[in-house]
Amino acid sequence: MTKFKALGLNETLLQAITDLGFETPSEVQEKAIPVLLDEETDLIALAQTGTGKTAAFGFPMLQKIDVESRTTQGLILSPTRELCLQITNEMNAYGKYFKGLNVTAIYGGASITDQANKVKKGAQIIVATPGRMKDMISRKMVNISKIEYCVLDEADEMLNMGFYEDINDILSHTPDEKNTWLFSATMPKEVATIASKFMYNPHEITVGTKNQGSQNVSHEYYMVGARDRYLALKRLADYNPDIFSVVFCRTKRDTQKVAEKLIEDGYNAGALHGDLSQNQRDLVMKSFRNKQIQMLVATDVAARGIDVDNITHVLHYQLPDEIETYTHRSGRTGRAGKTGVSMVIATKSELRKIKSIERIIKKEFNKKDIPDGKAICEVQLMSLANKVNHTEINHEIDPFIDNINSLFEETSKEELIKKFFSVEFNRFYNYYKKAHDINASDKGSHKEISAESTRFFINLGSKDGFTWMSMKDFLKAELKLGRDDVFKVDTKNTFSFFNVENNHAELVLQKLNGIKVNDRIVSVEVTENKARDRGRSRNRNRNKSGKRFGNDGGNFRGSKSDSRRGRNSKSDRSGKSSSRPRRSRR
């Protein structure tokens, strides 16, 4: 507590800090709190999630506001309902000895009338998500025209979620002379734009390096075929028996699908995505916090704001589109001084993205192999042995010991141990005894991709409304392939290039040639190499009319639906079903 007192905090806060058991301020707290207490200034603080940012702005705000006034003096904007509630709970805990303090949470999925009534009772501090806050301002249910302090928490996350216009609108209802404190894990150009527009000569604090990942997190990647992702996920889970993790998927559909398969295979798993009701989300998060769920499968949007201690692993079932999103994902583990592991299940086509992430977060990924069946069985056996060894004896079984002894009176100690552990071991042994190696080599990957795949030209491009992403979605939907079966998509003005594995090449020619897109006839050709690509690009740029390929300038946008996503393989390359024996729930 002495160290917190040295930062300039008053006795009312220090008493709450003692109750909470805080002993040493984090780096961002040490840097931010004295500045915010001593100066009336704007502030930009860059620090990873889990570094104590809420206390860094919460303590100064609580010390500076007038608790005896019913006027709203502080506004904290956060990206998600979960984070909004978490900040509110923490602010109430910090201010427990401030008589008359009213910290009100405003977020979607709950009664807007109830929230408005709480504000009317005199909320000195409002913690809000941008969407609901904008709604309540438009209905004149809140008045933020006299706030003195405004916090933009997880600013990069809010902008990634498309809240730029909402934030602009909300801040336009606040006074110019307020202090704005911006806290963010990364500093993309959109955050810099917000800072330059709404802040004056801000004090800057950086914990670590800009956009750098947490130093407590190690990064690994596992190379597999696109259809072996789920098998790889199960093996990594089995190889880490005490795993307590978040598994990230790109879409709501994949999130639900992976969670359902894990539950079906006996894992303690749950799904968290935007299609769940608030009550369903709350139940899932409660189960996860209580560790009834060991593997929480989530979309990036739904997982924003999750603050759960002791997460051991973050598993990237699919890499995100934005590198900054990877930083936020991996920041869910390795918090509060603990170590964590960020595991990427990758395909060859994603190697370039991994290298880009390495450059941004300034940390190297370790290439590791998916463990084989023998290694998994050994880990599971020793895990069970350790649990048995450390289990406290329940003497309620004493009355039954004589019957149990009589059952095994002719069984030697060694044989009894073998029998006991075989009960658990046999399930894993029988499942993995014929499992094949699913690791894919990444050595000379650029050459291997070229040799094992076919590159195609298609007469659709950005002029037709396509980006590389929507073109990829369009192709996988038309070909009924998985997302990673179409790669190296390069979209030009009137045409594009893409790759598929050789075994899908004939399918491309059969399915795409001759189909109509907005009354246009699509043409697809095999392109031999990059030199030909460049030559074709030059020729096409000279001939903008595109008459040879029937380009009439249609404005078709590729479907973003993932309803025709390729199916996960149910074989472990052994020719047998990979339906996993249901594992005992722990």
Side-chain angles (χ1 to χ4, degrees), residues 455 458 460-472 488-498:
R455 190 154 179 80
I458 184 170
L460 297 171
S462 58
K463 188 176 179 181
D464 309 298
F466 282 100
T467 63
W468 72 267
M469 191 181 302
S470 61
M471 173 62 75
K472 184 171 184 174
K488 284 194 170 181
V489 179
D490 188 11
T491 303
K492 307 297 183 183
N493 185 32
T494 58
F495 55 91
S496 302
F497 300 103
F498 65 92

Side-chain angles (χ1 to χ4, degrees), residues 219 221 223 229 250 300 316-327 329 344-365 445-446 449 468-469 472 483-484 486-488:
H219 302 264
Y221 74 94
M223 191 69 60
R229 284 188 193 273
R250 291 165 60 105
D300 292 303
H316 307 265
Y317 190 77
Q318 297 147 333
L319 279 172
D321 291 325
E322 301 294 334
I323 292 174
E324 287 85 1
T325 303
Y326 177 87
T327 303
R329 284 183 175 187
V344 177
I345 301 172
T347 62
K348 292 179 183 178
S349 61
E350 293 174 310
L351 270 181
R352 187 174 297 175
K353 184 174 283 189
I354 288 175
K355 296 301 179 185
S356 297
I357 294 172
E358 284 182 326
R359 288 193 296 271
I360 295 296
I361 68 173
K362 296 178 174 58
K363 296 198 76 174
E364 185 177 350
F365 280 73
S445 58
H446 294 300
I449 290 174
W468 72 267
M469 191 181 302
K472 184 171 184 174
R483 185 175 186 84
D484 296 310
V486 180
F487 50 98
K488 284 194 170 181

Side-chain angles (χ1 to χ4, degrees), residues 65-253:
I65 63 169
D66 180 6
V67 181
E68 295 183 0
S69 170
R70 289 164 54 89
T71 303
T72 299
Q73 303 156 58
L75 172 65
I76 303 169
L77 293 178
S78 65
T80 66
R81 291 172 285 193
E82 286 77 18
L83 186 55
C84 176
L85 288 168
Q86 176 190 314
I87 293 172
T88 303
N89 291 334
E90 291 186 23
M91 292 293 284
N92 281 319
Y94 303 157
K96 64 187 291 187
Y97 294 110
F98 285 88
K99 188 176 180 180
L101 176 66
N102 180 353
V103 181
T104 298
I106 291 177
Y107 56 93
S111 170
I112 193 169
T113 305
D114 290 347
Q115 292 173 354
N117 288 335
K118 290 179 182 177
V119 172
K120 285 181 181 178
K121 290 179 180 179
Q124 296 94 356
I125 298 173
I126 291 175
V127 187
T129 55
R132 174 54 66 90
M133 188 65 191
K134 183 180 176 182
D135 187 15
M136 292 186 71
I137 290 173
S138 67
R139 299 188 191 198
K140 302 188 184 304
M141 290 178 164
V142 295
N143 180 3
I144 54 173
S145 63
K146 296 181 181 180
I147 67 166
E148 299 175 36
Y149 308 101
C150 178
V151 175
L152 303 178
D153 190 29
E154 303 284 5
D156 50 353
E157 289 289 331
M158 288 194 285
L159 296 178
N160 283 341
M161 294 170 69
F163 286 132
Y164 181 83
E165 294 300 328
D166 289 346
I167 293 171
N168 267 323
D169 187 70
I170 292 166
L171 294 181
S172 70
H173 291 83
T174 61
D176 293 337
E177 60 272 16
K178 69 182 178 301
N179 292 149
T180 302
W181 305 337
L182 186 152
F183 285 75
S184 184
T186 60
M187 192 67 175
K189 61 182 181 180
E190 293 85 0
V191 174
T193 301
I194 285 280
S196 63
K197 185 173 182 179
F198 294 103
M199 305 175 78
Y200 174 73
N201 194 25
H203 191 102
E204 293 191 24
I205 290 171
T206 301
V207 176
T209 304
K210 287 186 179 181
N211 299 333
Q212 187 172 6
S214 169
Q215 295 301 311
N216 295 331
V217 179
S218 60
H219 302 264
E220 305 171 355
Y221 74 94
Y222 298 81
M223 191 69 60
V224 299
R227 296 186 183 278
D228 289 327
R229 284 188 193 273
Y230 182 68
L231 296 176
L233 176 64
K234 290 200 302 181
R235 290 196 188 187
L236 290 173
D238 289 342
Y239 193 67
N240 295 276
D242 297 319
I243 192 169
F244 180 52
S245 65
V246 181
V247 181
F248 283 99
C249 294
R250 291 165 60 105
T251 68
K252 291 181 285 189
R253 181 177 180 274

Side-chain angles (χ1 to χ4, degrees), residues 241 259-270 287 291-295 380 384 387 424 427-428 580-586:
E260 287 175 355
K261 286 170 70 69
L262 286 170
I263 293 169
E264 182 182 335
D265 284 343
Y267 296 86
N268 297 325
S287 296
K291 295 194 175 181
Q292 294 167 311
I293 289 176
Q294 284 184 282
M295 301 176 74
Q380 286 286 338
L384 177 61
K387 286 178 182 177
E424 181 81 2
R427 294 187 301 106
F428 285 96
R580 185 183 185 278
R582 296 189 64 82
R583 82 185 206 173
S584 60
R585 300 194 181 264
R586 294 189 276 274

